[in-house]
PDB file of all heavy atoms in Angstrom:
ATOM      1  N   ALA A  49     118.421  78.794  54.192  1.00  0.00           N
ATOM      2  CA  ALA A  49     117.080  78.650  54.730  1.00  0.00           C
ATOM      3  C   ALA A  49     116.399  80.017  54.764  1.00  0.00           C
ATOM      4  O   ALA A  49     117.068  81.056  54.866  1.00  0.00           O
ATOM      5  CB  ALA A  49     117.122  78.055  56.138  1.00  0.00           C
ATOM      6  N   THR A  50     115.076  79.988  54.698  1.00  0.00           N
ATOM      7  CA  THR A  50     114.309  81.229  54.802  1.00  0.00           C
ATOM      8  C   THR A  50     114.446  81.816  56.201  1.00  0.00           C
ATOM      9  O   THR A  50     114.624  83.027  56.374  1.00  0.00           O
ATOM     10  CB  THR A  50     112.819  80.963  54.505  1.00  0.00           C
ATOM     11  OG1 THR A  50     112.694  80.276  53.265  1.00  0.00           O
ATOM     12  CG2 THR A  50     112.034  82.266  54.459  1.00  0.00           C
ATOM     13  N   ILE A  51     114.364  80.941  57.202  1.00  0.00           N
ATOM     14  CA  ILE A  51     114.507  81.359  58.604  1.00  0.00           C
ATOM     15  C   ILE A  51     115.563  80.488  59.259  1.00  0.00           C
ATOM     16  O   ILE A  51     115.482  79.254  59.214  1.00  0.00           O
ATOM     17  CB  ILE A  51     113.180  81.225  59.379  1.00  0.00           C
ATOM     18  CG1 ILE A  51     112.080  82.046  58.710  1.00  0.00           C
ATOM     19  CG2 ILE A  51     113.363  81.672  60.836  1.00  0.00           C
ATOM     20  CD1 ILE A  51     110.691  81.824  59.325  1.00  0.00           C
ATOM     21  N   THR A  52     116.543  81.115  59.880  1.00  0.00           N
ATOM     22  CA  THR A  52     117.567  80.396  60.637  1.00  0.00           C
ATOM     23  C   THR A  52     117.353  80.670  62.118  1.00  0.00           C
ATOM     24  O   THR A  52     117.385  81.827  62.550  1.00  0.00           O
ATOM     25  CB  THR A  52     118.983  80.838  60.227  1.00  0.00           C
ATOM     26  OG1 THR A  52     119.158  80.599  58.831  1.00  0.00           O
ATOM     27  CG2 THR A  52     120.039  80.090  61.024  1.00  0.00           C
ATOM     28  N   ILE A  68     126.611  83.402  60.205  1.00  0.00           N
ATOM     29  CA  ILE A  68     125.418  83.116  59.413  1.00  0.00           C
ATOM     30  C   ILE A  68     125.194  84.209  58.365  1.00  0.00           C
ATOM     31  O   ILE A  68     125.177  85.397  58.695  1.00  0.00           O
ATOM     32  CB  ILE A  68     124.170  83.000  60.310  1.00  0.00           C
ATOM     33  CG1 ILE A  68     124.425  82.076  61.505  1.00  0.00           C
ATOM     34  CG2 ILE A  68     122.978  82.499  59.482  1.00  0.00           C
ATOM     35  CD1 ILE A  68     124.764  80.670  61.136  1.00  0.00           C
ATOM     36  N   LYS A  69     124.997  83.789  57.111  1.00  0.00           N
ATOM     37  CA  LYS A  69     124.738  84.727  56.016  1.00  0.00           C
ATOM     38  C   LYS A  69     123.303  84.642  55.510  1.00  0.00           C
ATOM     39  O   LYS A  69     122.920  85.381  54.606  1.00  0.00           O
ATOM     40  CB  LYS A  69     125.699  84.441  54.851  1.00  0.00           C
ATOM     41  CG  LYS A  69     127.177  84.403  55.232  1.00  0.00           C
ATOM     42  CD  LYS A  69     127.648  85.715  55.823  1.00  0.00           C
ATOM     43  CE  LYS A  69     129.135  85.656  56.154  1.00  0.00           C
ATOM     44  NZ  LYS A  69     129.597  86.894  56.841  1.00  0.00           N
ATOM     45  N   ASN A  70     122.506  83.744  56.051  1.00  0.00           N
ATOM     46  CA  ASN A  70     121.121  83.586  55.597  1.00  0.00           C
ATOM     47  C   ASN A  70     120.313  84.847  55.852  1.00  0.00           C
ATOM     48  O   ASN A  70     120.646  85.657  56.715  1.00  0.00           O
ATOM     49  CB  ASN A  70     120.478  82.379  56.277  1.00  0.00           C
ATOM     50  CG  ASN A  70     121.067  81.071  55.784  1.00  0.00           C
ATOM     51  OD1 ASN A  70     121.759  81.035  54.763  1.00  0.00           O
ATOM     52  ND2 ASN A  70     120.807  79.987  56.491  1.00  0.00           N
ATOM     53  N   SER A  71     119.202  84.994  55.120  1.00  0.00           N
ATOM     54  CA  SER A  71     118.483  86.268  55.061  1.00  0.00           C
ATOM     55  C   SER A  71     117.834  86.694  56.374  1.00  0.00           C
ATOM     56  O   SER A  71     117.779  87.882  56.684  1.00  0.00           O
ATOM     57  CB  SER A  71     117.424  86.212  53.963  1.00  0.00           C
ATOM     58  OG  SER A  71     116.519  85.148  54.208  1.00  0.00           O
ATOM     59  N   LEU A  72     117.331  85.747  57.156  1.00  0.00           N
ATOM     60  CA  LEU A  72     116.681  86.085  58.425  1.00  0.00           C
ATOM     61  C   LEU A  72     117.198  85.155  59.514  1.00  0.00           C
ATOM     62  O   LEU A  72     117.017  83.933  59.439  1.00  0.00           O
ATOM     63  CB  LEU A  72     115.155  85.958  58.319  1.00  0.00           C
ATOM     64  CG  LEU A  72     114.363  86.193  59.612  1.00  0.00           C
ATOM     65  CD1 LEU A  72     114.649  87.565  60.205  1.00  0.00           C
ATOM     66  CD2 LEU A  72     112.860  86.025  59.362  1.00  0.00           C
ATOM     67  N   VAL A  73     117.826  85.740  60.519  1.00  0.00           N
ATOM     68  CA  VAL A  73     118.400  84.976  61.628  1.00  0.00           C
ATOM     69  C   VAL A  73     117.715  85.414  62.916  1.00  0.00           C
ATOM     70  O   VAL A  73     117.628  86.611  63.206  1.00  0.00           O
ATOM     71  CB  VAL A  73     119.922  85.206  61.748  1.00  0.00           C
ATOM     72  CG1 VAL A  73     120.502  84.407  62.903  1.00  0.00           C
ATOM     73  CG2 VAL A  73     120.623  84.840  60.443  1.00  0.00           C
ATOM     74  N   ASN A  87     124.822  88.931  62.932  1.00  0.00           N
ATOM     75  CA  ASN A  87     124.771  88.720  61.489  1.00  0.00           C
ATOM     76  C   ASN A  87     124.491  90.054  60.793  1.00  0.00           C
ATOM     77  O   ASN A  87     123.919  90.982  61.385  1.00  0.00           O
ATOM     78  CB  ASN A  87     123.675  87.711  61.137  1.00  0.00           C
ATOM     79  CG  ASN A  87     122.309  88.118  61.657  1.00  0.00           C
ATOM     80  OD1 ASN A  87     122.121  88.220  62.866  1.00  0.00           O
ATOM     81  ND2 ASN A  87     121.369  88.373  60.764  1.00  0.00           N
ATOM     82  N   THR A  88     124.897  90.177  59.546  1.00  0.00           N
ATOM     83  CA  THR A  88     124.710  91.430  58.792  1.00  0.00           C
ATOM     84  C   THR A  88     123.393  91.444  58.021  1.00  0.00           C
ATOM     85  O   THR A  88     123.065  92.446  57.385  1.00  0.00           O
ATOM     86  CB  THR A  88     125.871  91.631  57.807  1.00  0.00           C
ATOM     87  OG1 THR A  88     125.952  90.505  56.931  1.00  0.00           O
ATOM     88  CG2 THR A  88     127.184  91.796  58.567  1.00  0.00           C
ATOM     89  N   THR A  89     122.649  90.336  58.097  1.00  0.00           N
ATOM     90  CA  THR A  89     121.350  90.267  57.427  1.00  0.00           C
ATOM     91  C   THR A  89     120.252  90.614  58.433  1.00  0.00           C
ATOM     92  O   THR A  89     120.514  91.178  59.497  1.00  0.00           O
ATOM     93  CB  THR A  89     121.146  88.869  56.836  1.00  0.00           C
ATOM     94  OG1 THR A  89     121.402  87.884  57.862  1.00  0.00           O
ATOM     95  CG2 THR A  89     122.099  88.632  55.678  1.00  0.00           C
ATOM     96  N   ASN A  90     119.012  90.294  58.117  1.00  0.00           N
ATOM     97  CA  ASN A  90     117.882  90.674  58.970  1.00  0.00           C
ATOM     98  C   ASN A  90     117.833  89.842  60.245  1.00  0.00           C
ATOM     99  O   ASN A  90     118.214  88.669  60.254  1.00  0.00           O
ATOM    100  CB  ASN A  90     116.576  90.530  58.190  1.00  0.00           C
ATOM    101  CG  ASN A  90     116.542  91.459  56.979  1.00  0.00           C
ATOM    102  OD1 ASN A  90     116.882  92.632  57.081  1.00  0.00           O
ATOM    103  ND2 ASN A  90     116.157  90.916  55.837  1.00  0.00           N
ATOM    104  N   LYS A  91     117.334  90.474  61.297  1.00  0.00           N
ATOM    105  CA  LYS A  91     117.339  89.870  62.639  1.00  0.00           C
ATOM    106  C   LYS A  91     115.926  89.762  63.201  1.00  0.00           C
ATOM    107  O   LYS A  91     115.021  90.513  62.830  1.00  0.00           O
ATOM    108  CB  LYS A  91     118.187  90.711  63.594  1.00  0.00           C
ATOM    109  CG  LYS A  91     119.636  90.918  63.182  1.00  0.00           C
ATOM    110  CD  LYS A  91     120.326  91.874  64.149  1.00  0.00           C
ATOM    111  CE  LYS A  91     121.810  92.018  63.848  1.00  0.00           C
ATOM    112  NZ  LYS A  91     122.042  92.682  62.534  1.00  0.00           N
ATOM    113  N   ARG A 119     112.022  93.993  60.576  1.00  0.00           N
ATOM    114  CA  ARG A 119     111.131  94.378  59.493  1.00  0.00           C
ATOM    115  C   ARG A 119     109.751  93.753  59.680  1.00  0.00           C
ATOM    116  O   ARG A 119     109.620  92.626  60.152  1.00  0.00           O
ATOM    117  CB  ARG A 119     111.703  93.911  58.142  1.00  0.00           C
ATOM    118  CG  ARG A 119     113.123  94.406  57.850  1.00  0.00           C
ATOM    119  CD  ARG A 119     113.497  94.088  56.413  1.00  0.00           C
ATOM    120  NE  ARG A 119     113.222  92.688  56.068  1.00  0.00           N
ATOM    121  CZ  ARG A 119     113.181  92.230  54.816  1.00  0.00           C
ATOM    122  NH1 ARG A 119     113.393  93.059  53.808  1.00  0.00           N
ATOM    123  NH2 ARG A 119     112.950  90.955  54.586  1.00  0.00           N
ATOM    124  N   ASP A 122     109.219  90.427  58.011  1.00  0.00           N
ATOM    125  CA  ASP A 122     109.864  89.324  58.727  1.00  0.00           C
ATOM    126  C   ASP A 122     109.038  88.905  59.942  1.00  0.00           C
ATOM    127  O   ASP A 122     108.966  87.708  60.267  1.00  0.00           O
ATOM    128  CB  ASP A 122     111.273  89.714  59.160  1.00  0.00           C
ATOM    129  CG  ASP A 122     112.240  89.802  58.000  1.00  0.00           C
ATOM    130  OD1 ASP A 122     111.990  89.144  56.974  1.00  0.00           O
ATOM    131  OD2 ASP A 122     113.242  90.541  58.101  1.00  0.00           O
ATOM    132  N   LEU A 125     106.367  86.698  58.750  1.00  0.00           N
ATOM    133  CA  LEU A 125     106.912  85.374  58.439  1.00  0.00           C
ATOM    134  C   LEU A 125     107.085  84.546  59.710  1.00  0.00           C
ATOM    135  O   LEU A 125     106.721  83.357  59.755  1.00  0.00           O
ATOM    136  CB  LEU A 125     108.244  85.527  57.711  1.00  0.00           C
ATOM    137  CG  LEU A 125     108.919  84.248  57.199  1.00  0.00           C
ATOM    138  CD1 LEU A 125     108.013  83.502  56.232  1.00  0.00           C
ATOM    139  CD2 LEU A 125     110.245  84.587  56.538  1.00  0.00           C
TER     140      LEU A 125
END
Side-chain angles (χ1 to χ4, degrees):
T50 308
I51 302 173
T52 301
I68 311 299
K69 307 300 182 185
N70 290 346
S71 58
L72 176 57
V73 180
N87 56 297
T88 57
T89 51
N90 298 314
K91 302 175 175 66
R119 304 189 310 165
D122 289 335
L125 185 59

